[in-house]
Amino acid sequence: MIQVHNLVKRYGDLIALDHFDLTIHKGEIFGLLGPNGSGKTTAINCMLSLLKYSKGEVKLFGQPMGPNRYALKKRIGVVMQNVAVFNELTVIENINYFCGLYVPDKAKRKALVEEAIDFTGLGDYRKFLPKKLSGGLLRRLNIACGIAHKPELIFLDEPTVAVDPQSRNHILEGIRKLNQDGATVVYTSHYMEEVEQLCSRIMIMDKGKAVATGTKEELKAMIRTGEKLTVELHALPESILEEIRGIEGLVQVDYADNTLTMRYAAGGHHLSTVLDILRRHDISFGRVFSEPPTLNDVFLEITGTELKD
Amino acid sequence: MFRNIYWKRILRTLRDKATLFWTWIFPIIMATLFYVVFANLDVMGQLHEIPLGVIDTESYQQDISLHSALESVSDENGDTLFTVSLFGNTDEADIALENGDIDGYVLYDLMGDDPTLVVSDDGLNQTLAKRFLDGYLQIKNSVSIQATERLSSLLEEETYTKEISLSNNPPTEKVNYYYALLAMMCLYGGFQGLITVTYLQSNLSPLGARQAMAPVGRMRMVAYDLLGGLTMHFLCLLIAVAYIIFVLGTDFGSKLWLVLLTCFVGSVLGVAFGAMVSLTSKLKEAAKVALLITVTMVCCFLSGLMVGGVNYTVAEKAPVVAWLNPAARITDAFYCLYYYDTYERFFLNIGIILIMALAMLTVTALFVRRQRYDSI
Ligand SMILES: Nc1ncnc2c1ncn2[C@@H]1O[C@H](COP(=O)(O)OP(=O)(O)OP(=O)(O)O)[C@@H](O)[C@H]1O
Ligand SMILES: [Mg+2]
């Protein structure tokens, strides 16, 4: 569906995309995950031929993409990072206009517009001007304008920035539905939870490079750290802490603020071992959490910096 | 496709309150202001000629050119600027000035040099008399004394000698001010061009980027959208003309169709001008608006729309600038309707306007075809 090979994009001296490669298959929800400025938007804009690039090639639907490839453009839907709707047109007029650029037939278009309105839950706001919409509703309108014509390939660039959790879930749900209806989705975000929930395959980007690609399980398997265990304790003698540190397969053990945190090496399960030690020494403990590694851990380990901003 | 893009543009313009005010309401306010001012000017202009004194010395007697200049603006058939009274000496004149019998008097000093104007206070009449005398001296010093025949005709070309027209049946002078207003409005079509460009170029706005992804040729999109903008702009000129005719009661007579033609051609030029200026500069929208206003204002200034007479100076000192100034061409087309009975110069202007508009649209098209940018 998408093949990007050896793409290089410079803004002056800054290299925004550094020999970037990407392959996306039909039917995927592909997540581009990376901190601010890692080149996600630049990658999308280059794939869409909105930006010139110094080197590399982009193929969409197996054909080279270019600004005049209208046959390809017809099959693509784009939802940009910045909201792009006409302030003077109502919700329904906006959707109708953008849909009309793809679907000249009026009756057909009418049905599609209605479907998009349903889909984004904007039914009560048909006659609203964009400035009367809340941030979340505006984002939904932005999405509706990009997907009303039922594209086969959809690019969504951080569609959930500055959106409340309810709207966000609505949007994510919608994207899943689009995918079930057959669309291939390229989704960028710097919220890893979102990407983890939604995407079937993920690329982690940093400084214009792909640092890792795979399903979330594959990504997590790439790193040394496995689950993270947290135990609440009132007191922990140094000797016992040492004993716990001695357990084989624990990568990291810390005790601070009445909490004991430990990381296992990938694949390890040592909960019972730790709890046995505590019980043996009659140490009472409060809550116990066990968390699987997050994409943040993956990012942290690969790049040495936190993904969160 | 055409309907979708065109209609969207019409709707947007109709709902954009700021644009509506500046392009529809503001000109009507201006026209009304002119109307009110003229009502007063007409009364003044018709009832009061400027009482001017001249000290009757030997120098004056010998200055045949001033005689004839004064005569040319104080003729019997009604077009009178001055009523001239002669005084034997300055004392008499001073008394008359003090009593308000005259607004000023012309005095030759003892050396017999150029005459000077003595006034007691400032006002429109004093200014007119001063301008008359200055103009006279300027011309006198640059032409030989013998050319008095030419002198008076030169003087007539200056507009301060009240109403001078080469046509047989001149409408009232205020039509000229309405023409100036319409000419300025034409150029403000530039904003419509600016809007089209800003919202269709991917490097200028997110909306531009989104529309750049549509499977529609760029040229088509820009052309349809510009047409929508032009329609709305021409409509606002039509409304202004209708207002001037039906509400303010000025009749353009048989020239109405030519006035409308000029409005239309001028709008095309204005829209093309705005599109080109905003497309070729790499500025943010606010800066482009400022640039457009500045360029428009400079053009208007050079065409004499703000300070009368600048256009003559430009035409003399830099004829190329004058001919290529869009504002000057539109204004000139309108003035041709006013001053001439024949239409050669009028249609020459229209032709030049169309050629310029075409050239600007071509430049616009060349830039529109660039679709990928280094940075958006
Ligand atoms: N128009 C531009 N001119 C110069 N540099 C730019 C431009 N646009 C982006 N950059 C730089 O290119 C790099 C990649 O930017 P890009 O917008 O692609 O990142 P992103 O991953 O989309 O970030 P975000 O999460 O903030 O949207 C950044 O370092 C940014 O500063
Ligand atoms: Mg981005």
Side-chain angles (χ1 to χ4, degrees), chain A residues 1 22-33 153-154 156 172 175-176 178-180 182-188 192-204 212-220 222 295:
Chain A
M1 194 57 115
L22 173 68
T23 307
I24 295 176
H25 308 292
K26 193 167 161 47
E28 283 187 318
I29 301 185
F30 191 90
L32 278 175
L33 179 67
L153 174 59
I154 304 174
L156 294 137
L172 295 186
I175 293 169
R176 250 180 233 121
L178 284 171
N179 178 249
Q180 279 156 18
T184 306
V185 176
V186 182
Y187 187 94
T188 82
M192 53 194 172
E193 301 86 357
E194 216 174 89
V195 171
E196 234 183 294
Q197 267 176 45
L198 185 71
C199 300
S200 52
R201 229 151 50 89
I202 298 160
M203 170 182 277
I204 298 181
T213 314
T215 63
K216 56 178 182 271
E217 291 80 16
E218 285 168 353
L219 287 176
K220 286 173 188 175
M222 279 177 199
L295 290 178

Side-chain angles (χ1 to χ4, degrees), chain B residues 58-309:
Chain B
E58 209 170 308
S59 308
Y60 175 62
Q61 296 297 347
Q62 283 165 4
D63 194 347
I64 309 156
S65 51
L66 183 62
H67 270 291
S68 80
L70 278 174
E71 253 165 45
S72 74
V73 295
S74 315
D75 52 8
E76 277 77 59
N77 51 28
D79 264 357
T80 310
L81 184 60
F82 300 120
T83 44
V84 179
S85 16
L86 298 181
F87 294 92
N89 54 51
T90 47
D91 292 342
E92 285 174 32
D94 280 334
I95 292 165
L97 191 61
E98 220 164 280
N99 295 340
D101 295 338
I102 54 173
D103 282 332
Y105 60 87
V106 178
L107 165 74
Y108 286 84
D109 59 23
L110 294 173
M111 315 292 286
D113 283 339
D114 288 339
T116 50
L117 184 73
V118 181
V119 293
S120 62
D121 57 346
D122 287 335
L124 183 63
N125 287 356
Q126 284 79 358
T127 311
L128 278 173
K130 183 92 174 59
R131 271 190 70 186
F132 170 81
L133 199 64
D134 287 349
Y136 158 74
L137 287 174
Q138 215 176 342
I139 292 163
K140 181 191 163 196
N141 292 336
S142 59
V143 219
S144 66
I145 306 277
Q146 286 91 331
T148 39
E149 295 285 297
R150 259 192 79 210
L151 179 66
S152 63
S153 74
L154 276 174
L155 277 168
E156 280 189 29
E157 266 180 32
E158 295 264 351
T159 46
Y160 55 76
T161 61
K162 283 205 74 189
E163 183 172 291
I164 286 140
S165 170
L166 301 177
S167 73
N168 299 324
N169 192 11
T172 64
E173 194 182 356
K174 64 182 140 188
V175 168
N176 253 350
Y177 286 84
Y178 294 141
Y179 282 155
L181 180 66
L182 291 176
M184 212 182 275
M185 279 177 72
C186 284
L187 276 192
Y188 276 102
F191 285 100
Q192 299 289 349
L194 173 110
I195 291 171
T196 295
V197 167
T198 312
Y199 288 96
L200 277 174
Q201 286 301 98
S202 57
N203 61 335
L204 298 183
S205 68
L207 264 173
R210 166 166 261 162
Q211 292 180 96
M213 286 317 297
V216 183
R218 306 288 304 142
M219 298 274 253
R220 259 169 82 196
M221 275 189 120
V222 171
Y224 295 169
D225 198 86
L226 273 181
L227 266 179
L230 175 64
T231 308
M232 292 311 287
H233 190 65
F234 183 54
L235 208 59
C236 84
L237 275 147
L238 283 184
I239 288 176
V241 171
Y243 183 81
I244 291 170
I245 294 175
F246 296 115
V247 181
L248 303 184
T250 295
D251 191 4
F252 292 103
S254 57
K255 289 176 174 166
L256 177 62
W257 291 109
L258 295 178
V259 170
L260 293 184
L261 174 69
T262 313
C263 285
F264 180 73
V265 175
S267 301
V268 175
L269 182 62
V271 171
F273 185 59
M276 188 186 72
V277 167
S278 26
L279 197 53
T280 48
S281 57
K282 274 192 170 177
L283 303 168
K284 289 277 161 232
E285 191 177 352
K288 286 195 174 176
V289 171
L291 176 74
L292 194 61
I293 292 180
T294 313
V295 174
T296 307
M297 285 300 174
V298 169
C299 289
C300 286
F301 176 76
L302 292 180
S303 71
L305 282 176
M306 293 167 190
V307 182

